[in-house]
Amino acid sequence: MAAISDDMVEKMKETMRLEREKKAAASPPPPKDAAPAAAGAAKAGEASATGDVPVGAAESLKMLADGVQAVRPGTDADEMIKRKEKLARERMGQEFEKMRREQKRLEEVRAELEKLTEPTRRDVEIIRNRLEEVGRDLAYCVKDHDSKKKAYESAKDTMEKKREEKDKLGDHLRMIIHESEKRKTEKLEEILEKLGGDPSADGFQGF
């Protein structure tokens, strides 16, 4: 409901006052014999006690009644404004009180919801922080794994190459030793033949 301020009430009162002044200025001036009419009205009151009211007195009473009716609308308008202003203030107070009760109820509901969600909120915050830590650790582990995997594959490849090279060198060494022993045996047999010895004798076992 829109609030009616004191300025609006004063403006309405001023407007009603100006309208009354305009009506008073537009109405014809009162007759010059208003005082005699009032006196006649008094006489008419006395005459009414006897039941005999003159015609002039009756007209004077009617004129006074019309004057009262002409002044009354302004008073009624002021009273109507006051009643409406009072009613508006009462309704505003009722609306404010209703809003205050509703706000208080909403605050109570919010407090209850916070009580319900507080334990869950703490757990969620703890788990979220732990997830962030584990995520960082996992990223480091993945990076370390990839790096070590490459190093392992490189080391394995190097190991296989060295093993193959070792086997080849071993075979070559054995072949060289075999050829060397063979040449030595042949040379010794040749020397023994020159010396007149028997290369097949028991004294010579070879190398």
Side-chain angles (χ1 to χ4, degrees):
M1 177 184 295
I4 301 176
S5 62
D6 294 338
D7 294 338
M8 294 177 64
V9 173
E10 292 298 329
K11 289 180 180 179
M12 293 174 66
K13 288 183 178 180
E14 183 65 19
T15 302
M16 296 300 296
R17 185 181 65 79
L18 293 174
E19 290 180 356
R20 289 198 302 272
E21 290 179 356
K22 289 180 180 179
K23 290 180 179 180
S27 61
K32 295 180 180 181
D33 55 349
K43 292 180 180 180
E46 294 177 358
S48 62
T50 61
D52 186 10
V53 180
V55 176
E59 291 179 355
S60 298
L61 289 174
K62 184 176 183 301
M63 290 175 64
L64 288 173
D66 293 339
V68 172
Q69 291 294 333
V71 176
R72 184 176 299 171
T75 304
D76 292 343
D78 291 341
E79 291 298 327
M80 180 181 67
I81 291 173
K82 290 180 180 179
R83 286 197 303 271
K84 288 185 177 182
E85 180 182 359
K86 182 179 179 181
L87 180 61
R89 294 183 183 277
E90 289 177 353
R91 291 184 178 177
M92 287 171 58
Q94 293 173 0
E95 290 295 326
F96 287 146
E97 181 64 22
K98 182 179 178 181
M99 291 171 61
R100 188 186 65 81
R101 289 196 301 268
E102 186 66 19
Q103 183 178 3
K104 182 178 179 181
R105 188 180 69 83
L106 291 175
E107 289 292 334
E108 292 175 352
V109 172
R110 185 180 62 82
E112 292 296 328
L113 289 175
E114 288 183 354
K115 290 179 181 179
L116 291 175
T117 57
E118 184 63 26
T120 305
R121 183 186 305 170
R122 288 197 300 267
D123 294 340
V124 168
E125 185 176 357
I126 292 172
I127 295 174
R128 183 179 289 115
N129 293 333
R130 183 56 183 162
L131 280 173
E132 291 178 357
E133 293 177 1
V134 173
R136 290 192 295 268
D137 294 341
L138 178 61
Y140 172 79
C141 291
V142 170
K143 184 177 180 180
D144 185 58
H145 169 267
D146 293 341
S147 176
K148 290 181 177 179
K149 183 179 180 181
K150 291 179 180 179
Y152 166 77
E153 292 176 351
S154 177
K156 183 180 178 181
D157 184 61
T158 304
M159 180 188 69
E160 294 295 335
K161 290 180 179 179
K162 294 299 180 182
R163 181 176 293 169
E164 183 179 357
E165 183 180 2
K166 178 183 176 182
D167 293 339
K168 289 180 178 180
L169 289 172
D171 294 339
H172 186 60
L173 177 62
R174 286 189 293 270
M175 183 182 68
I176 292 174
I177 292 173
H178 178 72
E179 292 294 332
S180 176
E181 288 180 351
K182 183 179 179 181
R183 284 196 301 271
K184 286 180 180 181
T185 303
E186 292 177 352
K187 189 66 176 177
L188 287 172
E189 289 178 354
E190 181 181 349
I191 292 171
L192 287 173
E193 287 180 356
K194 289 180 179 181
L195 294 175
D198 187 2
S200 61
D202 294 338
F204 179 76
Q205 296 296 329
F207 296 97

